[in-house]
Each structure stands twice: as structure tokens, then as C-alpha cells.
Amino acid sequence: MLPKILSGREAADALLASLKPKVKKLNPKLVVVQVGDDPASSSYIKQKFKSCEAVGMRSEHIHLPENTTLATLMETVTKLNADADVTGFIVQVPLPGTLNDAVPQIVKAIDPKKDIDGFGAYNLGKMFLSTKFEHLPPATPGGIIILLEHYRIPVEGKHVVVVGRSNTVGKPIAVMLLNRDATVTVCHRHTKNLAEITRQADILIAAVGKAGLITGDMVKDGVVVIDVGMNKIERGKLPALVGDCDFDTVSAKASAITPVPGGVGPMTVASLIRNCIRAKERQIAGGK
Ligand code: NAD
């Protein structure tokens, strides 16, 4: 049987439509700081602004040159923290050159109330407490949870195997699933016998960045697959975007699977928009 395709575009559109009235009422503003002209970043930023437009949210693009110094970037962060009209902002990563080494310092400088990417220690730490404290989760894990809920895929008591343990995807999604009573196994580059573990998954989340890492023989029949990976490959000399799963062999066994593109990507953007609205609500209520 063909698997159900978990369309992130459909789930994101539904979420964005439901957020419109709140945007109208609260009038939040989202700012994206970009340094340099990384083409992938420019394309992600375009999608973010498109979604802002779709919900009627105010947005601003602060585009700094490639040779921006850390001092200038930190000054920008300080100004955005202080600007009462700015609800939330993100500094688009990766940053050019050595500036990228300073990402932890930059993230630390962002006011937790405005940290709509949810990358800062305050918002990440709060997530450890319970679902009630997941106010500003990192956008991609937040989007995956919304996607699972949209398609009514229960996680309680399920064995979820997460492949990848980054601070922005693998680790926070593992915590969010634990908060929802899943049994979670996290694998990474040092995991031995990966296939033995992935074959036990009721739900498999692949967030690695390696095209075709997960093949059909590594999953069990009926598995639900969330493919976070975004890998540029050449297919017959034409560029193509693929996930971490070998779609043909994995989907032959899966009961449901996200496509790449059109799966987790749109959910990440929609979840960022939701975070900005949540940030505004909490700022009005006086909470962090
Ligand atoms: P990362 O490079 O920070 O982390 C990759 C993780 O994969 C690491 O924990 C590493 O230990 C693990 N890994 C590497 N090789 C492995 C192997 N052979 N077996 C098992 N684990 C292995 O990456 P990230 O930022 O978490 O992103 C992962 C992928 O997800 C990338 O393709 C990225 O582009 C994509 N991504 C997509 C979205 C989206 O919105 N769709 C958002 C964020 C990231």
C-alpha cells in the first residue's frame, strides 16, 4: 500500500490560516537579520517573509554586508532587543567566515522574550520542564510536533528513533517527544549498528544532512517517517533537493512519510511565525 504523504505545505497553510486573526489583533513584527548573501539563507528568508505576508504580519529585513564585524552585529542585536516595536527577531545562520564561530555569543545576546528561533539557553532549558513551558521551542522541532498533531499521529508510548542530535533539531525534538510520553532513542554519528536501532522505530525522525542515509532495509513495515534532511544533489545533471531517506525504498515500507521538499521545511517557517505571535502574547502578559 502507498504511504500517506504528510504534506507540510497543507499543514502549514492550515496553521497560518488559523493564526491570521491573532496577527490582526496583536500586530506583531518579525525581523530577520542577514549577513552576507548565502543563497540558501536568502531563499529561506524569502519563504519566511512570504509566510509573514500570508498571515498579514509586519516584517523587516536587515541585510548587512558580508564584511560586517561582530561588534556591528552585536550592536544590531542590542538595538533590536531595545526596540519595543520589534516582537521577535532571528539572526539567520550560517554567518559568513569567522563570524559563524560567534553564533553562541550572538544567540546569548538575544533577549529570551524575542528569541523566536528558540535557540537560546533560556527557552531551550524551559522546554525540559514540560509541554507547558514550551513557549518558544526551536522552529523545526516545533513544526514537527504541529505536523504530527495535524495528521493525528499519536506519539504516546511509541518508540521514536531520532537520528541526529543537533541543538536545533535532534536534541530538542527528543525532549519534546519525551514531554509527550514517547519512548525516545537518539542516534548520532558515533552510534553503532544504526540500522538495528532504526528498525525498532514506530516513528523515525531523520535529521542528519546525508542524502540516502536511511534505506528501506533500515525501517520496519508501517513506520512513520519524518525526514528533516535537506540535501542538494545532482539528479541526471539537474540539481535536486532530497532528504536523508532514500524515498523510494523507505516509502515502500512506511505507513506515512514527509516529502522533501514540502514536508518539514514549510512547518519550520509556520512554526517560526507561531513563535512570533506567542512572543507578542507573552510580552503583553508580562511573562518570559
Ligand atoms: P547538524 O550537522 O548540526 O547535525 C547532524 C547530526 O547528524 C549530528 O548530530 C551528527 O552526529 C549526526 N550524524 C552525522 N552523520 C551521521 C551518521 N552517519 N549516522 C547517524 N548520525 C549522523 O545538522 P542539523 O542542523 O541538525 O540539520 C540536519 C539536516 O536537517 C540538514 O540536512 C539540514 O539542512 C536539515 N534541516 C532542515 C530543516 C527544515 O526546516 N527542513 C531545518 C533544520 C535543518
XYZ file of all heavy atoms in Angstrom, residues 140 163-166 168-170 187-189 194 207-210 213 228-231 244 264-265 268, ligand 1:
218
model
N 12.082 24.212 14.018
C 11.903 22.935 13.304
C 11.243 21.874 14.198
O 10.238 21.278 13.795
C 13.254 22.444 12.723
O 13.748 23.461 11.841
C 13.101 21.145 11.957
N 17.432 10.352 14.511
C 18.809 10.230 14.024
C 19.338 11.652 13.816
O 18.793 12.404 13.001
C 18.889 9.409 12.720
C 20.360 9.143 12.363
C 18.132 8.099 12.853
N 20.364 12.006 14.580
C 20.887 13.383 14.591
C 20.634 13.994 15.961
O 19.562 13.822 16.528
N 21.625 14.676 16.486
C 21.494 15.224 17.852
C 21.921 16.695 17.919
O 22.545 17.134 18.886
C 22.331 14.406 18.836
C 23.795 14.401 18.432
C 24.748 13.983 19.488
N 26.075 13.938 18.904
C 27.126 13.371 19.454
N 27.003 12.771 20.610
N 28.292 13.387 18.854
N 21.585 17.450 16.858
C 21.965 18.867 16.890
C 21.138 19.605 17.937
O 20.054 19.160 18.323
C 21.762 19.510 15.519
O 20.382 19.582 15.222
N 19.611 22.281 17.461
C 18.467 22.957 16.852
C 17.370 21.985 16.401
O 16.229 22.374 16.250
C 18.917 23.789 15.640
O 19.742 22.954 14.820
C 19.706 24.998 16.067
N 17.736 20.719 16.166
C 16.716 19.760 15.706
C 16.686 18.499 16.584
O 15.727 18.258 17.327
C 16.918 19.356 14.222
C 15.725 18.529 13.742
C 17.102 20.555 13.312
N 17.727 17.688 16.508
C 17.697 16.361 17.144
C 17.431 16.385 18.640
O 16.516 15.714 19.126
N 20.113 8.766 18.033
C 21.327 8.226 17.394
C 22.129 9.373 16.785
O 21.583 10.432 16.487
C 20.946 7.263 16.269
S 19.905 5.908 16.811
N 23.394 9.126 16.590
C 24.267 10.163 16.027
C 25.436 9.492 15.315
O 25.450 8.270 15.151
C 24.736 11.120 17.130
C 25.214 10.406 18.353
N 26.475 9.884 18.435
C 24.560 10.087 19.500
C 26.589 9.286 19.607
N 25.451 9.382 20.270
N 26.424 10.306 14.942
C 27.488 9.770 14.084
C 28.311 8.674 14.758
O 28.981 7.902 14.095
C 28.379 10.900 13.555
C 29.288 11.542 14.564
C 30.230 12.536 13.906
N 29.577 13.818 13.643
C 29.395 14.302 12.439
N 29.798 13.652 11.386
N 28.802 15.474 12.287
N 23.463 1.324 13.568
C 22.338 2.256 13.386
C 21.082 1.534 12.880
O 19.989 1.744 13.398
C 22.762 3.366 12.406
C 21.716 4.432 12.092
C 21.387 5.258 13.326
C 22.190 5.356 10.969
N 17.417 13.589 10.959
C 17.892 14.983 10.896
C 19.409 14.961 10.891
O 20.064 15.251 11.885
C 17.363 15.772 12.083
N 19.956 14.563 9.751
C 21.398 14.331 9.654
C 22.053 15.257 8.624
O 23.039 15.929 8.917
C 21.678 12.852 9.292
C 23.171 12.625 9.078
C 21.153 11.932 10.384
N 21.491 15.281 7.424
C 22.122 16.041 6.348
C 22.956 15.154 5.442
O 23.975 15.593 4.919
N 22.498 13.883 5.296
C 23.203 12.955 4.393
C 22.175 12.270 3.506
O 21.369 11.455 3.995
C 23.949 11.891 5.211
C 25.186 12.418 5.871
C 26.221 11.331 6.127
C 27.535 11.991 6.465
N 28.019 11.682 7.801
N 20.885 8.278 3.566
C 21.459 7.550 4.713
C 20.524 6.434 5.186
O 20.965 5.335 5.525
C 21.721 8.529 5.878
C 22.225 7.895 7.170
C 23.679 7.469 7.033
C 22.073 8.853 8.354
N 13.812 15.256 7.976
C 14.163 16.673 8.163
C 15.264 17.098 7.181
O 15.378 18.260 6.817
C 14.633 16.926 9.621
C 14.888 18.410 9.865
C 13.608 16.404 10.621
N 16.053 16.155 6.746
C 17.233 16.444 5.930
C 16.918 17.256 4.684
O 15.863 17.093 4.065
N 17.837 18.139 4.356
C 17.721 18.901 3.108
C 19.079 18.844 2.449
O 20.028 19.492 2.909
C 17.332 20.347 3.403
C 15.884 20.477 3.855
S 15.227 22.129 3.659
C 16.297 23.045 4.706
N 19.179 18.038 1.420
C 20.473 17.810 0.783
C 20.367 18.120 -0.708
O 19.455 17.626 -1.377
C 20.883 16.345 0.967
C 20.797 15.912 2.420
O 21.546 16.403 3.264
N 19.865 15.011 2.735
N 17.108 12.825 3.997
C 18.093 11.845 4.469
C 17.655 10.419 4.149
O 18.411 9.469 4.331
C 18.268 11.971 5.993
C 18.966 13.267 6.375
O 19.655 13.853 5.519
O 18.826 13.682 7.542
N 8.944 18.977 6.139
C 9.316 19.701 7.363
C 9.624 21.185 7.081
O 9.368 22.044 7.927
C 10.506 18.994 8.062
C 10.981 19.788 9.264
C 10.101 17.577 8.473
N 10.140 21.485 5.902
C 10.532 22.866 5.576
C 9.415 23.884 5.825
O 9.597 24.828 6.607
N 8.656 24.421 9.491
C 9.640 25.223 10.232
C 9.274 26.706 10.142
O 9.288 27.427 11.147
C 11.056 24.981 9.648
O 11.379 23.600 9.835
C 12.103 25.836 10.301
P 23.982 19.085 12.154
O 25.075 18.958 11.153
O 24.061 20.132 13.196
O 23.768 17.686 12.871
C 23.812 16.491 12.173
C 23.678 15.340 13.125
O 23.727 14.122 12.385
C 24.779 15.262 14.163
O 24.199 15.099 15.436
C 25.602 14.020 13.773
O 26.108 13.325 14.901
C 24.569 13.195 13.053
N 25.181 12.302 12.040
C 26.100 12.620 11.091
N 26.410 11.532 10.370
C 25.677 10.524 10.853
C 25.569 9.157 10.523
N 26.284 8.620 9.517
N 24.725 8.384 11.239
C 23.987 8.911 12.244
N 24.035 10.215 12.603
C 24.877 11.006 11.911
O 22.642 19.235 11.279
P 21.204 19.895 11.602
O 21.353 21.358 11.668
O 20.523 19.176 12.710
O 20.481 19.545 10.240
C 20.313 18.221 9.808
C 19.660 18.217 8.446
O 18.368 18.795 8.564
C 20.386 19.051 7.385
O 20.196 18.448 6.128
C 19.661 20.375 7.424
O 19.743 21.082 6.206
C 18.262 19.895 7.685
N 17.390 20.888 8.313
C 16.198 21.070 7.754
C 15.312 21.963 8.320
C 13.987 22.150 7.686
O 13.311 23.095 8.008
N 13.564 21.243 6.809
C 15.670 22.670 9.466
C 16.897 22.431 10.055
C 17.763 21.523 9.469
